[in-house]
Amino acid sequence: MHFDDATRAVRSGEAPMTVARRLVAHMTPQERLWCLDGDGPIWAGLEFMGQGGYYKDTFSAAVVERVGLGGVHFADGPRGCVVGNSTAFAVSMARGATWDPDLEERVGEVIGRELRAAGANLTGAVCVNLLRHPAWGRAQETYGEDPHHVAEMGAAFTRGLQRNVMACVKHFACNSMENARFSVDVSVDEVALHEVYLPHFRRIVQEGVAAVMTAYNSVNGQWCGENQHLIADVLRGEWGFEGFVISDWIFGLRDAAKSLSAGLDIEMPYRMIRYPNLPLALEAGEVSWAEVDEAVARVVATLLRFGDLLAADAPSLTVVGSDPHRRLARDVAGRSIVLLRNEPVGGARVLPMQTDLSLAVLGHLADSVNLGDGGSSDVWDTDCHTALAGLTERYSSVAHDDGSDLDRASAVARGADAAVVVVGYTYLDEGEYIGRTDPSLGALFPAGDEPEVADRFARRISQLAPVETPDWRRRPRGFAVGGDRSSLRLHEADVALIRAVVAANPRTVVVIQAGSAVIVDEWASSVPAIVQSWYGGCRAGEGLADVLCGDVNPSGRLAFSVPTDESHLPAFDAAATEFVYDRWHGWWHLARHGHQPRFAFGFGLSYTSFEIVDSHVQRGADGLVVRARVANTGARDGADVVQVYAELPAADRPPRLVGFARVEVPAAGEAEVEVEVPFDRLALRDPLAGAWVQPNGRHIICVARNAADGAAHLHHVDI
């Protein structure tokens, strides 16, 4: 049987899994085992990655030419296709701040188009691990701290991507610590696991995601790549996931037989642990050929389900970095910016600033391409515009100083109508951790590569088209070290620069580039205007200028809480080997302990003002329908985000964000918004039964503009 025959059978109405099993039965034992790991050699592959190979080619698996099985060809993509010189978008956390699933779906479609043009048919772009603590190094790769918000943004991204490629959601599960990711065991109870750390994965599975990537860490004593409960019981059993499961890279599993029995289908990215060990495990009876066949069949069935999509012609490489894609990147950069503070100076608010003003732009980051993490999400975009470039294009007079000499910087600031200070972090401060690991992990590597596999890999590399290394990426070869942040505050030099500039020019705007929360309390009250501009992608400069000059009215809203002090957050230990994840973090944790945030989850200012003037909650057969009327009480058109929260009739459960909607409201006008809240969104997990219990009792439904909104509308609803 050939894959073409299988495709025809599925098109005629047969079930993909039934057909896939039939095809697998025609494969040799060696071909079936070949499908259970990446197709490349581990040692030569590691050398290639050290030379930037992650950004030069896709990672292939399950390619069996004899039966026409094209396999999977993976490239990463949380902020853009990592293969080639693709369009770099603002990081996922920035896009989370748009609270706009429709916009995120468009981003997914564009990134998917560029991935497909680069030769990929599978991407690990959908990263949805919760921001449990803002020190997490990979915070920038997810959408925020709340499972419902993360779920809806991730589902939208998945929809967009899967118009062009298969999407893989990661990292399953409880992966919110970076430096300790290869060694930490996360203990989490049934309620916290299912109500806090898994709902967003479940939502994206329901959206039809093709694949799931397991995490490096251990959960309740089992490594995620061989975790029977997570993969077999929850993902496949309870949720009914029909796609395939892949490991994270290199150390994504420890035991070949256990990983296969748990339901992990492909070890990625190379032939490392399974190829020498699975034949021995089969011979010893530790794992069965039936399990091998089912794993291969799940991969084949998924390729058949996506057959029409993958059979379509790939877009031309001319789409990569095209003008429409750049325009979307600029739109996203501007829409993601969160206005945190905008106080008057001399009777007028500092922002927006007219373009005929003279600007002093201070800080070395102002003239740096700062895309964020230097690890697996890095995008080698050769056409990136800095904050300084964007402001220089827009404003008639701009002077820049890198801020290394405070007296000189003060003089530059004093000579301008207004000052913009760009501060924050880079890939050196936060990102994927590529550093020292447990030395014992070295024993997992095989003694050497298979000569035939290595030769084939070498031939493939020799035929690759060249990829240009961008000028801004002047760093050592390979990945950046990255890791969890050592502080939630700005560097001392940044704080000193802010203080010097605002003393010289009271009309000062501080622009923060970072992947998550930055504590600002030691300097914020002295600065009239603050914006969080994230790692804004290839058009970060134009997006920032659009907001500062007022062409774009800021509508970004924080997807996390910013505390006034680190002590108000849950514990975080970057070197932990054991850690407990409970039900409380983010805005729930702050409220539970009576800590008022500096900036609340869902908070963001605008150049106009909004008020929820009316709201109603109606109970239907399948859930609640929340309707609200939003008034724009200012003189400019703008967009607000209506957020619906629920306090549950169970004191031991955190309240929940259960719905949200972005709404455009004209100046001095009103707009209606409707948010549906299915009853399932209010369900509780019964830890004894290991099942969901539908809501019962009095719920308090809160219609608000952020999680700490003192003007929120409260509705008591009996369910």
Side-chain angles (χ1 to χ4, degrees):
M1 187 180 190
H2 193 274
F3 190 79
D4 290 345
D5 302 320
T7 298
R8 284 189 288 271
V10 170
R11 286 175 178 166
S12 69
E14 287 195 65
M17 192 63 177
T18 300
V19 177
R21 289 181 178 129
R22 207 156 63 235
L23 177 62
V24 171
H26 284 80
M27 296 168 64
T28 68
Q30 292 76 19
E31 288 170 338
R32 285 177 271 163
L33 288 175
W34 176 263
C35 292
L36 300 184
D37 51 28
D39 289 354
I42 181 63
W43 290 107
L46 287 175
E47 182 181 4
F48 179 55
M49 279 205 280
Q51 298 167 349
Y54 201 85
Y55 316 105
K56 298 177 181 179
D57 194 15
T58 61
F59 294 88
S60 299
V63 177
V64 183
E65 293 180 359
R66 187 185 69 85
V67 296
L69 186 60
V72 299
H73 305 277
F74 178 100
D76 229 320
R79 65 175 187 256
C81 172
V82 303
V83 174
N85 300 120
S86 306
T87 306
F89 283 84
V91 293
S92 301
M93 186 65 79
R95 305 196 315 265
T98 68
W99 290 65
D100 191 341
D102 291 340
L103 180 64
E104 185 64 358
E105 190 170 335
R106 290 170 55 203
V107 171
E109 184 168 5
V110 164
I111 292 176
R113 194 177 299 137
E114 295 199 2
L115 283 158
R116 189 72 188 285
N121 66 5
L122 174 69
T123 181
V126 190
C127 180
V128 294
N129 296 109
L130 285 189
L131 178 66
R132 183 188 167 274
H133 191 287
W136 178 39
R138 291 178 83 167
Q140 62 194 269
E141 288 189 54
T142 190
Y143 294 106
E145 70 186 20
D146 182 277
H148 176 68
H149 170 262
V150 168
E152 293 308 306
M153 297 300 292
F157 194 35
T158 299
R159 286 193 299 274
L161 287 165
Q162 291 195 159
R163 295 195 182 98
N164 292 282
V165 294
M166 298 181 292
C168 174
V169 62
K170 63 185 184 187
H171 308 84
F172 191 66
C174 297
N175 178 212
S176 299
M177 302 167 67
E178 190 60 14
N179 293 25
R181 60 183 175 158
F182 296 114
S183 56
V184 68
D185 178 43
V186 175
S187 296
V188 58
D189 67 30
E190 176 84 2
V191 171
L193 181 65
H194 284 270
E195 293 188 12
V196 180
Y197 293 100
L198 293 186
H200 37 299
F201 284 99
R202 183 186 183 194
R203 171 70 179 89
I204 293 164
V205 165
Q206 292 170 341
E207 192 61 46
V209 73
V212 173
M213 179 189 290
T214 56
Y216 286 123
N217 54 281
S218 173
V219 172
N220 293 332
Q222 288 188 321
W223 298 110
C224 287
E226 50 208 52
N227 194 304
Q228 181 82 24
H229 179 66
L230 284 177
I231 302 173
D233 299 343
V234 175
L235 179 63
R236 297 201 191 280
E238 183 174 339
W239 298 352
F241 177 61
E242 295 182 338
F244 60 93
V245 178
I246 67 175
S247 75
D248 206 340
W249 264 222
I250 313 300
F251 298 126
L253 58 92
R254 311 298 175 93
D255 186 292
K258 287 181 180 178
S259 70
L260 185 62
S261 294
L264 190 141
D265 300 312
I266 304 177
E267 175 192 2
M268 291 294 284
Y270 297 130
R271 292 171 64 75
M272 179 176 168
I273 294 175
R274 281 183 166 180
Y275 100 80
N277 293 306
L278 266 184
L280 299 175
L282 285 162
E283 186 176 331
E286 297 172 4
V287 70
S288 69
W289 277 104
E291 290 171 304
V292 171
D293 292 352
E294 280 299 282
V296 180
R298 286 190 288 261
V299 177
V300 174
T302 306
L303 291 170
L304 289 170
R305 278 194 294 272
F306 285 84
D308 290 342
L309 173 72
L310 301 181
D313 291 339
S316 163
L317 281 171
T318 58
V319 305
V320 177
S322 60
D323 287 344
H325 293 189
R326 300 286 182 193
R327 285 195 295 271
L328 181 60
R330 177 174 182 164
D331 189 23
V332 171
R335 293 262 293 272
S336 70
I337 287 174
V338 183
L339 178 61
L340 297 174
R341 183 173 168 87
N342 192 22
E343 296 299 309
V345 173
R349 296 190 187 277
V350 170
L351 293 174
M353 300 184 297
Q354 295 179 344
T355 56
D356 58 358
L357 297 179
S358 61
L359 288 188
V361 180
L362 296 310
H364 71 96
L365 289 182
D367 197 24
S368 301
V369 173
N370 193 14
L371 299 183
D373 173 46
S376 61
S377 68
D378 199 6
V379 177
W380 286 14
D381 193 332
T382 56
D383 185 16
C384 296
H385 299 177
T386 66
L388 179 62
L391 292 169
T392 300
E393 179 185 275
R394 187 60 57 85
Y395 283 85
S396 56
S397 175
V398 175
H400 174 247
D401 186 272
D402 67 7
S404 58
D405 183 304
L406 295 183
D407 290 337
R408 188 183 63 220
S410 297
V412 173
R414 195 174 296 112
D417 294 324
V420 177
V421 187
V422 183
V423 292
Y425 305 124
T426 72
Y427 70 95
L428 296 173
D429 301 292
E430 57 180 349
E432 183 174 4
Y433 181 67
I434 311 292
R436 297 175 62 184
T437 58
D438 183 346
S440 68
L441 293 176
L444 297 173
F445 288 103
D449 291 333
E450 303 149 284
E452 181 183 346
V453 175
D455 289 346
R456 185 164 58 246
F457 185 73
R459 288 194 298 272
R460 178 181 175 89
I461 290 174
S462 69
Q463 296 168 4
L464 293 175
V467 176
E468 181 180 350
T469 303
D471 292 339
W472 53 264
R473 205 183 190 279
R474 296 189 182 97
R475 7 177 136 153
R477 291 164 72 182
F479 293 111
V481 172
D484 298 313
R485 274 161 53 185
S486 59
S487 173
L488 300 183
R489 299 174 186 268
L490 293 175
H491 295 293
E492 291 182 4
D494 283 348
V495 175
L497 178 61
I498 291 168
R499 286 176 170 154
V501 170
V502 77
N505 191 324
R507 300 188 69 81
T508 292
V509 181
V510 172
V511 175
I512 301 173
Q513 296 181 347
S516 70
V518 177
I519 294 177
V520 300
D521 273 57
E522 70 265 42
W523 55 266
S525 61
S526 66
V527 175
I530 306 171
V531 300
Q532 180 112 11
S533 70
W534 319 102
Y535 302 117
C538 66
R539 292 296 180 266
E542 288 89 340
L544 176 64
D546 289 342
V547 169
L548 296 191
C549 78
D551 282 359
V552 171
N553 190 349
S555 60
R557 302 290 184 264
L558 290 175
F560 50 71
S561 311
V562 180
T564 59
D565 190 84
E566 294 93 330
S567 64
H568 296 170
L569 294 168
F572 185 86
D573 181 0
T577 56
E578 296 180 352
F579 211 83
V580 176
Y581 280 14
D582 63 17
R583 307 168 193 181
W584 307 85
H585 72 271
W587 59 273
W588 315 282
H589 180 89
L590 293 176
R592 188 186 194 201
H593 292 277
H595 298 307
Q596 190 69 21
R598 163 60 78 166
F599 303 115
F601 173 80
F603 172 83
L605 299 174
S606 171
Y607 296 151
T608 187
S609 52
F610 299 97
E611 179 185 355
I612 299 174
V613 295
D614 192 21
S615 66
H616 302 276
V617 179
Q618 181 178 353
R619 177 177 172 170
D622 301 316
L624 305 178
V625 178
V626 180
R627 294 183 177 87
R629 190 155 46 91
V630 182
N632 181 338
T633 57
R636 295 179 57 116
D637 296 348
D640 199 19
V641 179
V642 174
Q643 301 158 40
V644 180
Y645 299 87
E647 292 186 27
L648 309 174
D652 64 338
R653 308 299 171 93
R656 298 177 186 173
L657 176 73
V658 292
F660 62 89
R662 188 177 186 275
V663 57
E664 302 275 352
V665 193
E670 294 184 352
E672 299 277 347
V673 65
E674 181 176 293
V675 177
E676 295 184 358
V677 182
F679 286 136
D680 285 352
R681 228 171 263 171
L682 302 170
L684 301 177
R685 188 73 177 185
D686 182 340
L688 297 178
W692 290 98
V693 177
Q694 289 306 301
N696 180 41
R698 173 154 291 191
H699 292 64
I700 300 176
I701 304 300
C702 176
V703 185
R705 300 185 57 241
N706 60 70
D709 186 359
H713 291 218
L714 302 181
H715 302 269
H716 296 264
V717 181
D718 291 319
I719 299 176

